[in-house]
Amino acid sequence: MCIELAKKGKPSPNPYVGCIVLDKFGNVISEGYHKKCGENHAERDALLKLKNGEEEGGTLIVNLEPCSHYGKTPPCTDLIIERKIKRVVIGMRDVNLKVNGVEVLRDAGIEVIEGVLKDECERLNEVFIKNMKDKKTFIALKSASTLDGKIATAGGSSKWITSENARNHVKKLRSLYDAIMTSSATVIADNPSMDHDIKIILDRNLRSDINSKIYQSGKIFVFHDEKLSAENNNIEYIKTPVQDGKLDLDFIFAKLFELGIMSVFVESGGKLSGEVLKYADKIYQFIAPKITGDNSSKSSYDFRKITDINESIELEISSAELFPPDILLTCYPISKSIK
Ligand code: AOF
Ligand code: ZN
């Protein structure tokens, strides 16, 4: 229940947090979640709805360790103690080093049960964990291909590989991330709009036409060769070092974190997808039950030649979902397979 409640929020850069409160008989008497950065935490949201003390002696359940520090909001532990909660059940400890809620609660004589659905809770907050631990932007990569891994014919015909069902789901996935990213090649070939509040376009030579659909809404960042200059009131141009004829992705992803973009959803052709693979934290691979049978067609990931199949990048599939007639494999790269 906490995880489902948590997902109703849009908390970035804060974590997803949901909370329920049980009275001393075990009945659910309140629920809450963290809606947005700066607003009440889930525990406060749930507890403030209770006005008659029915939570006294009850249990508070939350997917993340309650905070014990002053941030934009006061410590949740203070309110939990004040409301005379007897037991707190948490999914995972907070990775924010400022937080030490478990000890604070135990010192106040509250029973704390830890680690309930820990894996699910960690997955829910995979972006927050990466941001806090590595001080890096979380990178999700999406590709949609035929059964033989193709994203377009040699001539560029690609509309549509996957069904409307699948493409509608992509819109939902985009909204889970702070920004979307694509390449000038995709803007030029497909003229997509990729609706989002923040759009990032990698355009080394400033080739894409700013009248293209993607430029018509949202906050736009264009990363381009530092040797070039461009200006436009509605676009933020960012000069970027070039390495081996390509924009330096280390620079770009570091810059995104500096800009406060905590997660990015990358959707592009095989070249950028291939380059981004080694940075990807998560891969969404849609597969349509179609076969081009044409080895000159364009591939999902196109960035190298290998001779030994054992050099392949290996992934762990965390879920397989049908968006009939297509399938979505949600995968995590196995890091030792990435060189
Ligand atoms: C909780 N419950 O619902 C959330 C928590 O600036 P603040 O006050 O919002 O604090 C942000 C930090 O609090 C954040 O980095 C994370 O460690 C924790 N988030 N904690 O007990 C919540 N959202
Ligand atoms: Zn809190």
Side-chain angles (χ1 to χ4, degrees):
M1 277 179 81
C2 291
I3 290 174
E4 289 313 312
L5 282 165
K7 286 182 186 165
K8 291 163 86 177
K10 266 266 175 206
S12 177
N14 275 352
Y16 288 99
V17 188
C19 174
I20 60 176
V21 183
L22 314 181
D23 66 12
K24 56 176 177 275
F25 309 108
N27 305 309
V28 177
I29 50 171
S30 191
E31 48 185 55
Y33 65 99
H34 183 47
K35 295 181 183 62
K36 198 166 162 244
C37 180
E39 295 189 9
N40 282 341
H41 286 181
E43 302 90 317
R44 189 166 297 275
D45 187 42
L47 287 171
L48 292 184
K49 290 174 187 163
L50 296 165
K51 305 226 183 317
N52 305 318
E54 62 267 49
E55 69 279 22
E56 189 175 334
T59 299
L60 180 140
I61 308 176
V62 60
N63 58 285
L64 184 73
E65 174 182 17
C67 72
S68 52
H69 72 299
Y70 281 88
K72 292 189 171 68
T73 64
C76 289
T77 47
D78 285 358
L79 187 63
I80 294 169
I81 295 166
E82 187 188 309
R83 293 298 186 100
K84 301 195 169 68
I85 295 289
K86 195 173 152 214
R87 186 193 297 126
V88 172
V89 179
I90 69 170
M92 63 175 281
R93 294 247 181 163
D94 196 336
V95 286
N96 182 350
L97 297 174
K98 288 183 195 147
V99 171
N100 189 22
V102 170
E103 268 63 42
V104 171
L105 293 171
R106 284 192 177 136
D107 287 349
I110 295 173
E111 179 191 357
V112 181
I113 298 169
E114 293 191 62
V116 177
L117 296 180
K118 187 163 180 268
D119 292 347
E120 289 82 350
C121 291
E122 286 179 349
R123 189 135 283 174
L124 172 73
N125 275 313
E126 59 191 1
V127 170
F128 178 71
I129 293 171
K130 163 114 185 188
N131 297 160
M132 275 282 163
K133 280 196 168 163
D134 299 349
K135 304 281 173 245
K136 284 184 176 160
T137 297
F138 186 95
I139 298 162
L141 185 53
K142 170 249 152 182
S143 185
S145 72
T146 62
L147 211 57
D148 53 340
K150 304 301 182 184
I151 55 167
T153 65
S157 159
S158 66
K159 280 181 180 152
W160 293 103
I161 292 169
T162 49
S163 62
E164 200 174 346
N165 256 345
R167 285 181 279 122
N168 283 336
H169 188 64
V170 171
K171 290 181 190 161
K172 284 198 196 131
L173 293 175
R174 281 182 194 137
S175 72
L176 297 176
Y177 295 90
D178 281 359
I180 60 102
M181 175 187 278
T182 193
S183 66
S184 54
T186 297
V187 174
I188 293 166
D190 298 345
N191 193 18
S193 43
M194 293 187 181
D195 287 331
H196 203 287
D197 294 343
I198 304 179
K199 299 173 181 177
I200 295 150
I201 302 164
L202 308 195
D203 190 353
R204 177 160 75 96
N205 291 315
L206 295 169
R207 292 187 304 141
S208 61
D209 180 353
I210 61 167
N211 296 311
S212 314
K213 287 186 197 159
I214 197 161
Y215 285 96
Q216 305 316 309
S217 68
K219 169 93 190 122
I220 313 272
F221 294 90
V222 175
F223 286 85
H224 63 86
D225 188 333
E226 60 193 355
K227 295 199 186 71
L228 304 175
S229 287
E231 232 178 287
N232 183 299
N233 288 340
N234 302 318
I235 301 171
E236 185 147 341
Y237 287 101
I238 301 178
K239 289 181 187 273
T240 308
V242 171
Q243 279 194 336
D244 305 325
K246 294 176 205 117
L247 293 172
D248 179 355
L249 287 174
D250 278 328
F251 173 91
I252 292 171
F253 290 131
K255 192 73 183 178
L256 295 188
F257 193 71
E258 267 175 55
L259 290 166
I261 296 171
M262 294 294 135
S263 60
V264 64
F265 187 72
V266 183
E267 281 185 88
S268 67
K271 294 273 189 285
L272 182 61
S273 294
E275 296 300 329
V276 169
L277 256 188
K278 75 169 200 246
Y279 299 89
D281 294 295
K282 185 172 196 168
I283 295 168
Y284 295 101
Q285 186 74 45
F286 287 88
I287 302 172
K290 294 175 186 170
I291 296 170
T292 72
D294 176 358
N295 78 357
S296 62
S297 291
K298 298 182 197 295
S299 300
S300 271
Y301 306 97
D302 177 9
F303 66 110
R304 63 175 182 177
K305 297 252 178 298
I306 64 167
T307 45
D308 183 351
I309 195 67
N310 296 303
E311 289 173 36
S312 300
I313 288 168
E314 290 174 45
L315 311 172
E316 182 196 326
I317 297 174
S318 80
S319 73
E321 294 163 89
L322 273 174
F323 293 92
D326 307 317
I327 193 167
L328 166 59
L329 299 179
T330 302
C331 312
Y332 292 89
I334 297 173
S335 50
K336 67 175 167 34
S337 74
I338 298 180
K339 304 215 171 58

